[in-house]
Amino acid sequence: MIQTPKKIAIIGSGLVGSLLAIYLRKLGHQITVYDRRPDIRNVEFSGRSINLAMSNRGWTALREVGIEDEVKKIAIPLDKRAIHVAGKPEYYQKYGKEGEAIWSISRGILNRRMIDLAEDAGVVFRFEEKVWDVNLPEGKIYTGATEKGKWKEYLYDIVFGCDGAFSRVRHKMQRRSRFNYVQEFIDVGYKELTIPANEDGTHKLDKHSFHIWPRGKFMFIAMPNMDGSLTCTLFLPFEGEVSFEKINTKAEAKHFFNTYFPDVTPVIEDLTTDFFNNPTSALVTIKCYPWTYWDKVALVGDSAHAIVPFYGQGMNAGFEDIYALNKIIAKYGDDWEQIFSTYQTERKPNADAIAELSYRNFVEMSSMTADPNFILQKKIEKRFAKKYPDKWIPAYSRVTFSNKPYVEALANGDAQEEIMKEIMQIPNINEIWDSEEVDQKILSLLSGKEKYEV
Amino acid sequence: MIQTPKKIAIIGSGLVGSLLAIYLRKLGHQITVYDRRPDIRNVEFSGRSINLAMSNRGWTALREVGIEDEVKKIAIPLDKRAIHVAGKPEYYQKYGKEGEAIWSISRGILNRRMIDLAEDAGVVFRFEEKVWDVNLPEGKIYTGATEKGKWKEYLYDIVFGCDGAFSRVRHKMQRRSRFNYVQEFIDVGYKELTIPANEDGTHKLDKHSFHIWPRGKFMFIAMPNMDGSLTCTLFLPFEGEVSFEKINTKAEAKHFFNTYFPDVTPVIEDLTTDFFNNPTSALVTIKCYPWTYWDKVALVGDSAHAIVPFYGQGMNAGFEDIYALNKIIAKYGDDWEQIFSTYQTERKPNADAIAELSYRNFVEMSSMTADPNFILQKKIEKRFAKKYPDKWIPAYSRVTFSNKPYVEALANGDAQEEIMKEIMQIPNINEIWDSEEVDQKILSLLSGKEKYEV
């Protein structure tokens, strides 16, 4: 279908905003991107973002507009987890099959590159221009230096809110009747820390691993950067026995790292300095509906569905929104009401599914060491999946190395959990876990799940 | 404990705001109530509110400050439901034991009376003064004619947000990190209609009944007013086969009433006129947490926990907040940080419980006629409760005629549901429903619920 060029405003020049700009520009639309912040290409990074893990869905969306190879140049493939259990040597866990990997990439570097690519495609960026209000039915936006000051009015055919978890555009939609909205913070916060490169520019830890120190109620992770450093994130409860509120001095921070992460002691000076320089941030899940207003306004990415980062899917889900939207545009041409209604109907259940999967994955990630039953269950699943790879695709693979809908990954994961619950109740499961008997039991339970699709 | 007088602002002069003002004024505080709307004593009613049902919790809160008798003068006791099933004569269902009733009262008339009583107690009201912003840590509020215009600043020791479901005070708290928030609309809307009085001033329907026309996915209710009229509410899905979107002409409205509510035909002219004059409104559940900010700001009533109206508990729950807060103040005196923290910890689970009960009750109310299994279950419960009144207190009675926490009513209701689920699975339950065998089965299931408290 042919598209009539529209005058489109995108609010937010983050990853989702700039990729959406590239897509829509390539369809011939006139695109202006507004951002309240300065051009990220001219500022030092704030250090507040978790390093990103680009996986299948993200790459698919980049490939569609021909920028996959360009972005791969600034990403490092990680084909395995390196698990640092206290008191044991680190051990490795392959993510998927041969050739399957997630890619570590710096949010800041990627964002700069994406804005360059958008500008090359003819997108106009207006940085440090704050959008305070949106007239939804008329497609007008209002910008100005302060909320109470004088505003400028701009008229657009379509306005996209790509302005993140605390979206102004959504905020305006939220004040309408019948707008459903949830924001739910978890009791765990995070702090970003850095492990610097060796003197020769190499990494202090294995470069092609996602490093994780699971500690039950908290965990520490590290992902490699191109410059030899590793970006680390400490996830820790705000309150409680071991928590952010209990670490208030350098001595307390040192004691904390020495106690729980003795293998990072060589770089403890850097970590404790970072600890007090960098902010402690909260983690939120945001859900809302509808995502669109008539044929005028739509939310894309975090503004529609912010999720906790434990599945590494925040950016991937946002990019997949754009990829899906593009397919829908191809189908419905100029009928933007139909485009928006199809878009939100198709994407909303998937956004809810990845929100749920991400929330659950914190428990999974941080328990990797703790519960012997959990470890046994994972061993059984792994053994079975290896033996019957067509019958048991782990949820992680479905989410990370496939483009099939998130809802399917969640449903299949639930079905697998139900089966494993029964398996774990076999009285002598500890002894017979790797027996033919257990395999047969799983196979028979699988055949009972009519709706289970592999 | 003795209270040091504080300078307190209450935002919102509705029922909760004015009752809280009376309570705090009686403790010796200096109280100013702000409201963006004009003084309700000088305006005609908008007709947008469901008539209220005052029950035990509401009366308890009014009694505490000595205004129960005063308010009873403008209320009508309803000791039963009058159920209008299509094609059958109306029949009656007693609410509770002898002397137990809910009280029909007009929101507008009650609100006027409460403001009078608050003024008599020395509360200052500032009507048509719009609060646009709140400085939470400093207890400052900002008012003005428009959001973008010039604002006045006022400093208070404590600020209470009693400004309803779409609270500005909460809105300000919501922008803080780690503030959890949910707003969820249901697919059913409502419209208020009126059945006028007879020429001699009497009611067209039984005066001491809560009238209900259950129709499965929708329902119509009527409550008597002092002047002989009845305030009716039509609850109907927004979209679907029988829905608001399908009724667009007077002829369609008449057809609707004639088809589903033939016994209201004598007043159908009034109903169809109202139908197009009065707005269709949405119904929302709002949950949030925390409810307080330090010792400075607290939310009370709908601003903290808006619920759907199907249990008639919105106002009662708000009044109970105040009653509970007053008890906590008596315990902790001047320690407002302790007062607020105790208040929100104690009230939050109860607010969640009544939200859940209210949501579920729409299904219960509108199915009263539909499902034969449901009717049989209710018959069994009723029979058992009559025979063993100490062992089976219906959830409705716990909510409506008791002051015990809502959480208990919910937990006990769930336990009863579980028991009845088993009872309804007895193969020949249709034949033996009123037998000793069923009684014994219920008794034995009850004894299995260790945590079940009667």
Side-chain angles (χ1 to χ4, degrees):
Chain A
M1 287 238 193
I2 293 164
Q3 283 260 300
T4 310
K6 299 277 185 188
K7 212 180 144 198
I8 296 177
I10 294 175
I11 319 303
S13 72
L15 298 173
V16 166
S18 43
L19 182 60
L20 179 62
I22 294 170
Y23 265 79
L24 293 173
R25 182 72 200 116
K26 288 195 189 257
L27 291 174
H29 300 294
Q30 182 192 323
I31 313 292
T32 311
V33 179
Y34 292 81
D35 203 304
R36 54 198 305 113
R37 295 161 303 182
D39 188 341
I40 193 172
R41 294 169 299 187
N42 308 328
V43 291
E44 284 220 36
F45 298 136
S46 70
R48 269 200 78 197
S49 102
I50 300 168
N51 250 29
L52 299 165
M54 183 91 72
S55 57
N56 214 52
R57 296 166 204 270
W59 291 123
T60 303
L62 295 179
R63 192 178 312 132
E64 183 75 10
V65 282
I67 59 175
E68 180 187 18
D69 296 338
E70 190 66 25
V71 174
K72 275 211 167 141
K73 290 179 194 157
I74 52 171
I76 302 170
L78 316 178
D79 63 347
K80 59 192 174 302
R81 294 188 191 96
I83 302 179
H84 303 251
V85 174
K88 289 186 192 167
E90 67 181 324
Y91 68 96
Y92 297 95
Q93 231 177 36
K94 273 279 198 189
Y95 268 125
K97 298 177 215 147
E98 197 53 41
E100 287 182 335
I102 62 172
W103 296 68
S104 175
I105 192 162
S106 147
R107 178 190 293 266
I109 292 171
L110 176 59
N111 206 159
R112 288 174 174 178
R113 200 74 204 86
M114 302 276 292
I115 292 171
D116 282 342
L117 292 167
E119 272 188 348
D120 292 348
V123 171
V124 175
F125 284 82
R126 297 180 70 99
F127 294 103
E128 295 179 76
E129 184 153 0
K130 298 176 186 172
V131 175
W132 295 105
D133 199 6
V134 182
N135 180 326
L136 302 171
E138 295 180 27
K140 285 180 185 158
I141 64 171
Y142 300 88
T143 71
T146 65
E147 185 157 18
K148 292 206 69 180
K150 227 186 140 192
W151 289 350
K152 268 199 270 186
E153 177 188 297
Y154 299 91
L155 177 67
Y156 285 95
D157 298 318
I158 300 170
V159 177
F160 284 97
C162 302
D163 45 348
F166 298 98
S167 169
R168 269 269 157 178
V169 180
R170 186 191 65 228
H171 185 254
K172 184 70 187 183
M173 291 167 75
Q174 197 181 324
R175 298 191 79 87
R176 291 165 51 216
S177 189
R178 301 186 67 197
F179 186 81
N180 292 326
Y181 179 74
V182 180
Q183 70 179 40
E184 196 166 16
F185 287 84
I186 60 173
D187 294 333
V188 168
Y190 75 91
K191 196 183 273 286
E192 200 166 286
L193 309 162
T194 306
I195 295 179
N198 290 318
E199 300 243 325
D200 63 359
T202 58
H203 293 82
K204 283 211 160 69
L205 299 164
D206 180 71
K207 180 183 174 180
H208 291 291
S209 293
F210 177 95
H211 293 269
I212 171 165
W213 291 255
R215 294 297 180 267
K217 288 189 180 160
F218 56 100
M219 66 176 175
F220 189 69
I221 63 168
M223 291 175 81
N225 295 316
M226 302 286 284
D227 67 358
S229 66
L230 292 112
T231 299
C232 312
T233 313
L234 172 66
F235 295 97
L236 186 68
F238 284 105
E239 292 95 15
E241 209 182 326
V242 184
S243 67
F244 279 116
E245 70 165 3
K246 294 283 165 66
I247 305 172
N248 295 300
T249 63
K250 275 217 166 191
E252 283 166 353
K254 273 192 187 173
H255 179 72
F256 170 77
F257 284 112
N258 275 325
T259 307
Y260 296 107
F261 311 107
D263 55 345
V264 301
T265 306
V267 291
I268 201 157
E269 276 309 324
D270 303 285
L271 293 182
T272 51
T273 304
D274 282 0
F275 193 95
F276 294 102
N277 283 343
N278 296 351
T280 305
S281 304
L283 295 163
V284 69
T285 301
I286 289 177
K287 296 179 183 175
C288 68
Y289 203 77
W291 290 3
T292 64
Y293 188 91
W294 299 353
D295 56 352
K296 281 289 172 194
V297 181
L299 305 174
V300 182
D302 280 4
S303 63
H305 51 78
I307 60 181
V308 292
F310 305 114
Y311 230 116
Q313 286 294 310
M315 170 191 59
N316 289 286
F319 281 11
E320 195 174 65
D321 286 345
I322 298 168
Y323 181 79
L325 180 65
N326 189 54
K327 288 260 179 280
I328 296 163
I329 290 171
K331 193 166 169 192
Y332 294 111
D334 278 337
D335 187 350
W336 284 92
E337 202 159 336
Q338 183 64 49
I339 290 166
F340 280 178
S341 124
T342 308
Y343 161 71
Q344 66 178 5
T345 311
E346 179 183 319
R347 293 303 295 163
K348 169 67 174 166
N350 287 300
D352 286 347
I354 191 59
E356 178 63 24
L357 285 160
S358 302
Y359 178 78
R360 290 185 193 171
N361 217 39
F362 177 67
V363 179
E364 173 124 3
M365 285 176 85
S366 46
S367 328
M368 274 173 186
T369 174
D371 177 4
N373 273 324
F374 179 85
I375 292 170
L376 176 59
Q377 178 179 328
K378 289 294 146 191
K379 260 163 74 180
I380 297 169
E381 288 178 38
K382 204 170 172 182
R383 180 177 173 280
F384 185 82
K386 204 165 177 182
K387 205 164 160 188
Y388 299 97
D390 296 340
K391 294 203 183 289
W392 197 277
I393 302 170
Y396 187 86
S397 292
R398 288 181 186 271
V399 168
T400 311
F401 302 122
S402 119
N403 285 324
K404 292 191 126 196
Y406 287 128
V407 279
E408 285 180 22
L410 178 60
N412 285 299
D414 284 346
Q416 290 176 341
E417 266 307 302
E418 263 179 56
I419 289 169
M420 291 311 296
K421 220 171 166 182
E422 285 205 41
I423 296 295
M424 294 304 287
Q425 272 162 6
I426 298 172
N428 57 338
I429 186 66
N430 262 296
E431 293 139 41
I432 63 160
W433 70 274
D434 56 353
S435 67
E436 179 65 20
E437 186 187 336
V438 169
D439 292 349
Q440 288 307 319
K441 176 87 179 157
I442 297 177
L443 285 169
S444 105
L445 288 168
L446 273 174
S447 71
K449 303 248 171 225
E450 278 174 40
K451 283 171 66 184
Y452 185 85
E453 173 261 347
V454 290
Chain B
M1 285 234 194
I2 292 165
Q3 283 261 298
T4 309
K6 298 278 183 186
K7 211 179 142 198
I8 296 177
I10 294 176
I11 318 304
S13 72
L15 297 173
V16 165
S18 42
L19 183 61
L20 179 62
I22 294 170
Y23 265 80
L24 293 173
R25 182 71 199 118
K26 288 195 188 259
L27 292 174
H29 301 293
Q30 181 192 325
I31 312 293
T32 310
V33 179
Y34 292 82
D35 203 304
R36 51 198 305 113
R37 294 161 307 181
D39 188 340
I40 194 171
R41 294 169 298 184
N42 307 330
V43 291
E44 286 220 38
F45 297 137
S46 71
R48 268 200 78 198
S49 100
I50 300 169
N51 250 30
L52 299 165
M54 183 92 71
S55 58
N56 214 53
R57 297 167 202 270
W59 291 123
T60 303
L62 295 180
R63 192 178 311 132
E64 184 76 12
V65 281
I67 59 175
E68 181 187 19
D69 296 338
E70 190 67 22
V71 174
K72 275 213 168 141
K73 289 179 196 157
I74 52 169
I76 303 170
L78 315 180
D79 63 347
K80 58 191 173 302
R81 293 188 192 97
I83 303 181
H84 302 252
V85 174
K88 287 187 195 170
E90 66 181 326
Y91 67 97
Y92 298 94
Q93 229 177 40
K94 274 278 199 189
Y95 268 128
K97 296 178 217 149
E98 198 51 41
E100 286 181 337
I102 62 172
W103 296 68
S104 176
I105 193 162
S106 146
R107 177 190 293 267
I109 292 172
L110 176 59
N111 205 159
R112 288 173 173 177
R113 200 74 206 86
M114 301 278 292
I115 292 171
D116 282 342
L117 292 167
E119 272 188 352
D120 292 349
V123 171
V124 174
F125 284 83
R126 298 181 70 100
F127 294 104
E128 295 179 74
E129 184 153 0
K130 298 176 185 170
V131 175
W132 295 105
D133 200 8
V134 182
N135 180 325
L136 302 169
E138 295 180 28
K140 285 180 185 157
I141 64 172
Y142 300 87
T143 72
T146 64
E147 185 157 17
K148 291 205 70 180
K150 227 187 141 191
W151 289 349
K152 270 198 270 187
E153 177 188 296
Y154 299 91
L155 177 68
Y156 286 94
D157 297 319
I158 300 170
V159 177
F160 283 97
C162 302
D163 46 349
F166 299 97
S167 168
R168 269 269 157 178
V169 180
R170 186 193 64 228
H171 186 252
K172 185 70 188 185
M173 291 167 77
Q174 196 181 323
R175 299 190 78 86
R176 291 164 50 216
S177 190
R178 299 186 71 197
F179 184 80
N180 292 328
Y181 179 74
V182 180
Q183 70 181 41
E184 197 166 15
F185 287 85
I186 60 172
D187 294 333
V188 168
Y190 74 91
K191 195 183 274 286
E192 200 166 288
L193 309 163
T194 306
I195 294 179
N198 290 318
E199 300 241 326
D200 64 357
T202 57
H203 292 82
K204 283 210 161 68
L205 299 164
D206 181 72
K207 181 182 174 180
H208 291 291
S209 294
F210 177 94
H211 293 270
I212 172 165
W213 290 256
R215 294 295 181 268
K217 288 190 179 158
F218 57 100
M219 67 176 174
F220 189 68
I221 63 167
M223 292 175 80
N225 295 316
M226 302 286 284
D227 67 359
S229 66
L230 291 112
T231 299
C232 311
T233 313
L234 173 66
F235 294 97
L236 186 69
F238 284 106
E239 291 96 16
E241 209 182 325
V242 184
S243 66
F244 279 116
E245 70 164 2
K246 293 283 165 67
I247 305 173
N248 296 299
T249 64
K250 275 217 165 189
E252 283 167 353
K254 273 193 189 175
H255 179 73
F256 171 75
F257 283 112
N258 275 324
T259 308
Y260 296 107
F261 311 107
D263 56 343
V264 301
T265 305
V267 292
I268 200 158
E269 277 307 324
D270 303 287
L271 294 181
T272 50
T273 305
D274 282 2
F275 194 94
F276 295 101
N277 283 342
N278 296 350
T280 305
S281 305
L283 296 163
V284 68
T285 300
I286 289 177
K287 297 179 183 175
C288 69
Y289 204 77
W291 291 2
T292 64
Y293 189 91
W294 299 353
D295 56 352
K296 281 290 171 195
V297 181
L299 305 174
V300 182
D302 280 5
S303 63
H305 51 78
I307 60 180
V308 292
F310 305 114
Y311 230 116
Q313 287 293 311
M315 170 191 58
N316 289 287
F319 282 11
E320 195 175 66
D321 285 347
I322 298 168
Y323 182 80
L325 180 65
N326 189 54
K327 289 258 177 284
I328 297 163
I329 291 171
K331 191 165 170 192
Y332 294 111
D334 278 338
D335 186 350
W336 283 92
E337 202 159 336
Q338 183 65 48
I339 289 166
F340 280 178
S341 122
T342 308
Y343 160 71
Q344 66 177 5
T345 311
E346 180 183 319
R347 292 302 296 163
K348 170 66 174 165
N350 288 301
D352 286 348
I354 192 58
E356 177 63 22
L357 286 161
S358 303
Y359 179 78
R360 290 184 194 173
N361 218 39
F362 177 67
V363 179
E364 173 123 2
M365 285 176 85
S366 45
S367 333
M368 275 175 185
T369 174
D371 178 3
N373 273 323
F374 178 83
I375 292 170
L376 177 61
Q377 178 179 329
K378 289 294 144 188
K379 261 162 76 181
I380 298 169
E381 288 179 35
K382 205 170 172 181
R383 181 177 172 281
F384 186 83
K386 204 165 178 183
K387 205 163 161 187
Y388 300 97
D390 296 341
K391 294 207 182 286
W392 197 277
I393 300 169
Y396 188 87
S397 292
R398 289 181 185 271
V399 168
T400 311
F401 303 122
S402 117
N403 285 324
K404 293 190 126 194
Y406 287 128
V407 280
E408 284 180 21
L410 179 60
N412 285 298
D414 283 346
Q416 290 177 341
E417 266 307 302
E418 263 179 55
I419 288 170
M420 289 311 297
K421 221 171 164 180
E422 285 206 39
I423 296 295
M424 294 302 287
Q425 273 163 5
I426 298 173
N428 57 338
I429 184 68
N430 261 296
E431 292 139 42
I432 63 160
W433 69 273
D434 56 352
S435 67
E436 179 65 21
E437 186 187 337
V438 169
D439 292 350
Q440 287 306 319
K441 176 82 179 164
I442 297 176
L443 285 169
S444 107
L445 288 168
L446 273 173
S447 72
K449 303 249 170 225
E450 278 174 41
K451 281 171 67 183
Y452 185 84
E453 172 259 350
V454 290

